[in-house]
Amino acid sequence: PLDGRRLAFFVADVAGTGVTSALLASSLVGAFTAAARGPEASNSSVSLAKELHRVLRAIAPSARAAAVVAILDAESGRLEWTNAGHRGGTLARRGAAPGSPAYRVAGDSAPLGGQAPNLATGALQIEPDQVLVVLSDGAMSARDRRGRPWGEARLGAAIARLGAAGNDDDPAAGLLAEIIAYVDGERLLDDVLVLTVAPLAPG
């Protein structure tokens, strides 16, 4: 939390596996927390993303991390976002008719690291009946017993079911359960993370 109503969050995928990547991920979490608690002037999604870029460059100049950083005003529903080479998020309406369009929060950008950050940024309004869904790349690439990834089509179908019985109160749990059921015990090769964000309900 940045103050009484604003929440800062980020999702990042560090390239590579093993101890080195885990240490880089931990460093990014620490850098984000410190920056979010810093001076008021630093509390924008762009400045937070740039701080993550700076820390990554200082620790491991050759490392790369795809990330999406955002700040949500929980009362008004305004979301300010910055993307750095990540898949980004999907803004969907709960209980929408199948095939209804969903807005992608992404933009043309590149992962953190390298000589200078290449960021995409923007702002949008999340209505009370909408939810922002952000997944790790491991969630998108989770494979079933026949080696088929979960993928965009299944994500779209799952998002269209948001608001159905059992998914309305905790859409993240509903989406995660669908991915785990699809994998059906097959070994996961990457982290599977589902983050859903929505403004406070009126009243």
Side-chain angles (χ1 to χ4, degrees):
L2 298 178
D3 50 41
R5 70 177 195 278
R6 292 188 305 150
L7 176 72
F9 64 91
F10 84 114
V11 173
D13 288 309
V14 177
T17 59
V19 174
T20 300
S21 294
L23 291 174
L24 287 175
S26 296
S27 297
L28 291 180
V29 171
F32 181 83
T33 301
R37 293 175 177 172
E40 183 69 22
S42 71
N43 290 339
S44 72
S45 63
V46 172
S47 62
L48 291 174
K50 287 182 176 179
E51 178 62 10
L52 294 179
H53 175 83
R54 185 193 69 78
V55 169
L56 192 63
R57 286 280 298 164
I59 296 175
S62 63
R64 299 292 182 270
V68 57
V69 182
I71 297 176
L72 173 71
D73 186 313
E75 293 182 1
S76 70
R78 184 181 186 275
L79 181 86
E80 173 203 336
W81 59 270
T82 297
N83 194 45
H86 197 272
R87 179 191 172 280
T90 303
L91 183 63
R93 195 170 301 277
R94 296 174 189 243
S100 299
Y103 180 78
R104 282 289 297 276
V105 179
D108 185 17
S109 60
L112 300 173
Q115 293 300 316
N118 179 8
L119 307 174
T121 188
L124 55 89
Q125 186 73 24
I126 304 182
E127 301 299 333
D129 63 342
Q130 291 180 314
V131 59
L132 177 69
V133 179
V134 183
L135 286 83
S136 65
D137 57 356
M140 299 303 297
S141 61
R143 297 179 181 275
D144 66 5
R145 292 181 178 274
R146 295 172 61 184
R148 298 172 300 184
W150 195 57
E152 294 287 349
R154 290 180 181 84
L155 171 62
I159 286 178
R161 290 190 291 272
L162 288 179
N167 286 351
D168 192 56
D169 292 336
D170 192 348
L175 288 169
L176 183 59
E178 290 203 32
I179 297 172
I180 298 304
Y182 176 76
V183 170
D184 191 26
E186 189 68 9
R187 180 171 176 264
L188 295 171
L189 302 179
D190 200 355
D191 59 300
V192 174
L193 178 141
V194 179
L195 175 69
T196 57
V197 181
L200 295 173

